[in-house]
Every structure is written in C-alpha cells, then in structure tokens.
Amino acid sequence: AREPYLLTGKAFCAKCETPMIADGGTSKTGKKYQYYACKTKKKHACNKEHEDKDLLELYVTQVVRDFLSNRKNAEIVVKDTLAYYDRRTGADSIKSIETRIAKAHKDVEEMANAFIEAKSSLLRATIEKKMSDYEKLIDDLESQKAQLERERGLRVSEKDLLDFIDELMDGDTVNKDYQRKIIDNLV
C-alpha cells in the first residue's frame, strides 16, 4: 500500500480471528477508499464487513490514549511490560536458545557423517540442502541470543516507562504522525 496501514499485523477479525489486511478501491467518480478487511473475506470464509482505515486507526489511537490516561492503567501496563521484559531476557530464555544451538550443531555433525557415508548423489544433495538450512538456523539463533544479551543490560525503570507514556499522551489523535507514534509504541 502506498499509504501505510498502521494496524497491519495488529488488527484481527472479531469473527474469525484472522488478520485484517489492507484493502481498498476506487469508485466510478475516482474517489479512493481504504479499508481493513478480514483476510478470509475474499475467499468467502468470513462475512465480517470491512472497516474504514482512517476511522479504525483513529478509534484505536483514542482508546489507547483514553485507557493510558488513567494513571492506574498506565501503572499496570508498565508492570506487565517489565515482567515481560524480565521473562524475555531472563536466564531461562538464553539457556533455551543455547540448547537449541547445541542441538542444531549436533544435527549438523550427524548430517556431516551421513554425507561422508552417502553413496548416492541425490542423497548428498539433500543433505547439503538441509545443512544449508541448519546453517541459517544457527545464524538466526546466535543473532537472537546476542540480541537478548544486549537487551539484558538495558533495564528501564518504572518511572522511565511512565514518563514515556506521559509524553505519548500529549498529541492530537487525528494527526497521522501521532497515531503512528501511539500504535507503533503501545499497540
């Protein structure tokens, strides 16, 4: 879409729970319409009506701002965010990734031995492809581990998060840049 759909990946159909996707069209008069539509609607698997893009983005922005304007709600959100951060960057998460890396290395070693013993060129090609996939998997897991280790040192305080929310509360909900700020940071 030329114009960003701010709720992409964040809005889901209330009827069938599939993602809402960008949709739109142009009338006979040339007026453009932009919507969020249920992903399964075009396959006739859901009868959820489409939602006007601008109205939905405005509504979500207003609801989030109204909810977080209540200090008690903001404090609950901050506590939940910090608890999630602790779980995500905790020792168990890193150990889990390290275990997956070790298993992947063991699998690669077994494939290397199978490759050496393989008589068929087709079998060798299959093993080679699988080893290439494992190489990408190991790189991805190493990257995730490094990211978690970096994030561990970036502990933010409750006060910092509450101050951040307070800053985000000051804005015009009709303004698209403000909507993007709220949706990107809080939805």
Side-chain angles (χ1 to χ4, degrees):
R2 290 184 184 156
E3 184 171 331
Y5 280 66
L6 304 177
L7 293 168
T8 299
K10 298 176 181 187
F12 293 85
C13 177
K15 288 191 173 192
C16 69
E17 299 179 2
T18 60
M20 299 287 282
I21 59 171
D23 197 7
T26 306
S27 72
K28 291 178 185 178
T29 63
K31 184 175 180 189
K32 294 185 187 248
Y33 294 92
Q34 296 173 312
Y35 306 106
Y36 284 96
C38 176
K39 189 174 184 177
T40 62
K41 184 170 178 77
K42 288 189 179 183
K43 297 176 187 170
H44 305 291
C46 182
N47 63 356
K48 166 85 174 84
E49 293 298 317
H50 58 263
E51 299 289 340
D52 180 272
K53 173 194 172 302
D54 291 329
L55 288 177
L56 186 59
E57 291 170 355
L58 174 63
Y59 176 75
V60 168
T61 302
Q62 288 173 331
V63 167
V64 169
R65 192 168 100 175
D66 290 348
F67 179 79
L68 291 175
S69 292
N70 178 318
R71 191 61 172 194
K72 287 191 186 283
N73 291 340
E75 289 170 357
I76 291 168
V77 167
V78 165
K79 284 183 186 352
D80 287 349
T81 300
L82 291 174
Y84 170 76
Y85 171 84
D86 289 340
R87 280 191 314 275
R88 187 178 183 293
T89 61
D92 289 344
S93 292
I94 292 175
K95 280 183 184 175
S96 171
I97 290 176
E98 287 173 341
T99 301
R100 291 174 62 198
I101 291 169
K103 183 185 179 325
H105 279 291
K106 184 179 177 225
D107 291 348
V108 166
E109 191 175 319
E110 289 173 4
M111 282 187 279
N113 291 334
F115 184 82
I116 292 168
E117 295 175 13
K119 307 266 188 253
S120 155
S121 61
L122 182 60
L123 183 57
R124 284 176 171 245
T126 302
I127 294 170
E128 242 179 292
K129 163 101 176 69
K130 195 160 184 119
M131 286 179 84
S132 174
D133 292 344
Y134 266 82
E135 202 173 309
K136 291 175 189 165
L137 173 66
I138 291 169
D139 286 347
D140 184 48
L141 289 170
E142 293 284 356
S143 175
Q144 287 177 33
K145 179 183 170 194
Q147 179 68 28
L148 285 176
E149 288 173 340
R150 277 192 302 276
E151 287 177 16
R152 271 183 119 170
L154 300 175
R155 180 84 169 136
V156 179
S157 72
E158 279 187 42
K159 183 187 178 324
D160 292 336
L161 285 177
L162 286 169
D163 289 347
F164 176 70
I165 289 172
D166 287 342
E167 282 179 37
L168 287 176
M169 293 300 101
D170 188 29
D172 179 11
T173 56
V174 177
N175 180 291
K176 280 293 179 190
D177 289 332
Y178 181 70
Q179 289 176 7
R180 176 188 310 279
K181 215 178 193 183
I182 291 290
I183 290 170
D184 286 352
N185 287 291
L186 300 174
V187 176

